[in-house]
Amino acid sequence: CHLIHYLRLSHHLIVLNYLICTFDKLKSVSSEDIKITDAVFDGVEVRVFEPPAKGDESLKRSVVYIHGGGWALASARTSLYNNLCRIMAESLNAVVVSVEYRLVPEVCFPEQYHDALRATKHFLQPDVLAEYSVDPSRIAISGDSAGGNLAAAVCQQLSKDEDLPVRPKLQALIYPVLQAFDFNTPSYQQNMNMPVLPRYVMINYWIDYINGNYDLAHELLINNHTALNVGQALSFRTRLNWTSLLPPSFKKNYKPVVQSTGTAAIVERLPALLDVRAVTLARQPRTYVLTCENDVLRDDGAMYAARLERAGVPVTLDHFHDCFHGCMIFTVWPTDFSAGVQTRNSYIKWLDENL
């Protein structure tokens, strides 16, 4: 059983790696006027996209972008993300910093988070912002999928840092991964076999990220790690109760999956499953959350948006009924999907209006 599970995951990752490598050979479609440089921010590699200077302006707005890929795939340098960041820099006339954090299996949690935080804090230093002619009051932290998880965690930490001279104005999360408490939310049940991200693949991304073992996959799939007898899960139960956080159109007729007796040892072995770095809401900036109907992570984003709203944070939930996980980066032939263009344009429009 474990061998079959491993082979399915390996096949999925091989296909994704093949697609990424194939798309990486495609020519960028954005303006050649964007200056691209590779740099190192506090030991972390980044790629910086700078639009040409205009005579009538002094400072530009900026976006720190953290790419997705299950904490294990993709790169700030691949064509998929290169194109997205170039178009963002051009459309917003903004300096875009794309973070090249280290990946699984080279490192596991929390090193990806530490890389993203170190690079962001370095960029937020007044002298560095001045070097790139960035307005300190107009900076957004953003990311998609696993990068959305890292962006939310970075924003949370920055909000708690009393000595930080510059804080982000916005956070913008694109179909983010935000919880490993419940793998049976309505969107996980509805889209359990949906490409590009089936439920078993997302569970295994989590296992790899927190340096676990695949023999735990079935326990996680049926929520044994957050059963009623698992004391460590108690504080999360009300915060991540989808029955009270999701609108009826998301809940549909799905039922909660709550085990009365589970396996507390899972959380003892892997405490990162219930790590709070991406769930604290205090002092968060104005937030944008993009979700897609055909995505296991739809409810992660929707629950986060609802909790932010209840905490008094201005939030925009931008939901797309006909779109799928990962679609925003698929805007170049031969995968120039309308879903990708539609979501990308809506995301950039919100940034343009709010940043």
Side-chain angles (χ1 to χ4, degrees):
C1 179
H2 295 318
L3 176 61
I4 293 173
H5 190 79
Y6 176 77
L7 290 174
R8 289 172 70 200
L9 179 65
S10 297
H11 177 262
H12 181 87
L13 295 180
I14 288 170
V15 170
L16 283 180
N17 269 316
Y18 172 78
L19 288 173
I20 289 169
C21 291
T22 299
F23 294 140
D24 199 35
K25 298 173 184 177
L26 299 175
K27 186 178 180 181
S28 175
V29 297
S30 190
S31 168
E32 294 299 324
D33 292 334
I34 302 299
K35 176 185 175 184
I36 301 176
T37 54
D38 292 323
V40 177
F41 286 0
D42 192 16
V44 180
E45 296 179 7
V46 298
R47 174 160 283 194
V48 184
F49 300 76
E50 297 176 81
K54 295 181 179 178
D56 59 344
E57 68 176 6
S58 55
L59 298 176
K60 290 183 168 62
R61 49 194 176 178
S62 182
V63 180
V64 175
Y65 194 85
I66 308 173
H67 72 79
W71 307 284
L73 299 173
S75 163
R77 298 186 177 95
T78 59
S79 286
L80 293 170
Y81 285 105
N82 218 52
N83 281 328
L84 175 61
C85 291
R86 286 174 66 101
I87 290 169
M88 288 168 58
E90 181 181 22
S91 302
L92 296 168
N93 189 37
V95 175
V96 177
V97 176
S98 188
V99 181
E100 184 77 332
Y101 59 91
R102 291 168 295 165
L103 302 173
V104 170
E106 178 189 354
V107 297
C108 298
F109 176 87
E111 295 309 314
Q112 286 86 345
Y113 160 75
H114 287 151
D115 284 357
L117 181 62
R118 286 205 314 275
T120 302
K121 290 184 75 170
H122 177 88
F123 181 63
L124 292 179
Q125 295 179 100
D127 58 333
V128 178
L129 295 177
E131 178 185 345
Y132 289 99
S133 299
V134 168
D135 184 341
S137 67
R138 304 178 74 192
I139 300 168
I141 311 296
S142 184
D144 66 294
S145 194
N149 169 279
L150 297 173
V154 165
C155 270
Q156 174 199 315
Q157 182 57 39
L158 295 178
S159 73
K160 297 190 295 185
D161 191 336
E162 299 292 343
D163 299 323
L164 198 67
V166 177
R167 299 181 186 279
K169 180 181 181 181
L170 309 172
Q171 69 171 336
L173 313 179
I174 304 159
Y175 31 75
V177 188
L178 292 173
Q179 58 90 29
F181 177 85
D182 188 350
F183 291 109
N184 288 274
T185 62
S187 62
Y188 265 114
Q189 294 186 56
Q190 173 183 308
N191 300 299
M192 66 174 65
N193 296 313
M194 181 70 67
V196 171
L197 189 64
R199 177 169 60 173
Y200 78 92
V201 171
M202 189 63 247
I203 288 174
N204 279 282
Y205 277 143
W206 270 112
I207 289 173
D208 285 338
Y209 183 42
I210 60 179
N211 200 23
N213 194 298
Y214 291 147
D215 63 6
L216 297 175
H218 180 70
E219 301 262 18
L220 299 180
L221 186 145
I222 61 174
N223 286 347
N224 266 357
H225 64 303
T226 55
L228 295 176
N229 70 319
V230 179
Q232 300 95 318
L234 182 61
S235 63
F236 285 80
R237 199 169 307 285
T238 54
R239 284 187 282 171
L240 295 173
N241 178 9
W242 62 257
T243 63
S244 66
L245 290 169
L246 297 178
S249 60
F250 281 23
K251 288 188 286 189
K252 301 181 173 68
N253 293 317
Y254 292 102
K255 305 299 181 185
V257 175
V258 181
Q259 307 295 346
S260 57
T261 304
T263 312
I266 298 175
V267 181
E268 293 170 4
R269 287 169 57 188
L270 300 171
L273 276 172
L274 300 181
D275 191 274
V276 299
R277 265 169 266 204
V279 296
T280 301
L281 305 177
R283 298 172 62 183
Q284 292 294 288
R286 179 181 294 272
T287 298
Y288 171 90
V289 181
L290 186 150
T291 57
C292 296
E293 182 67 21
N294 303 309
D295 180 7
V296 293
L297 300 177
R298 179 199 69 193
D299 296 343
D300 281 29
M303 287 191 292
Y304 188 65
R307 293 178 61 232
L308 284 171
E309 193 169 50
R310 291 180 183 183
V313 177
V315 59
T316 298
L317 178 62
D318 198 7
H319 182 63
F320 291 84
H321 293 278
D322 299 320
C323 295
F324 58 93
H325 187 83
C327 63
M328 186 180 289
I329 59 175
F330 295 117
T331 59
V332 181
W333 185 91
T335 57
D336 47 342
F337 300 135
S338 60
V341 175
Q342 181 185 6
T343 51
R344 186 190 67 197
N345 289 349
S346 187
Y347 161 71
I348 290 177
K349 181 175 183 288
W350 186 88
L351 283 174
D352 191 35
E353 292 173 350
N354 290 277
L355 186 57

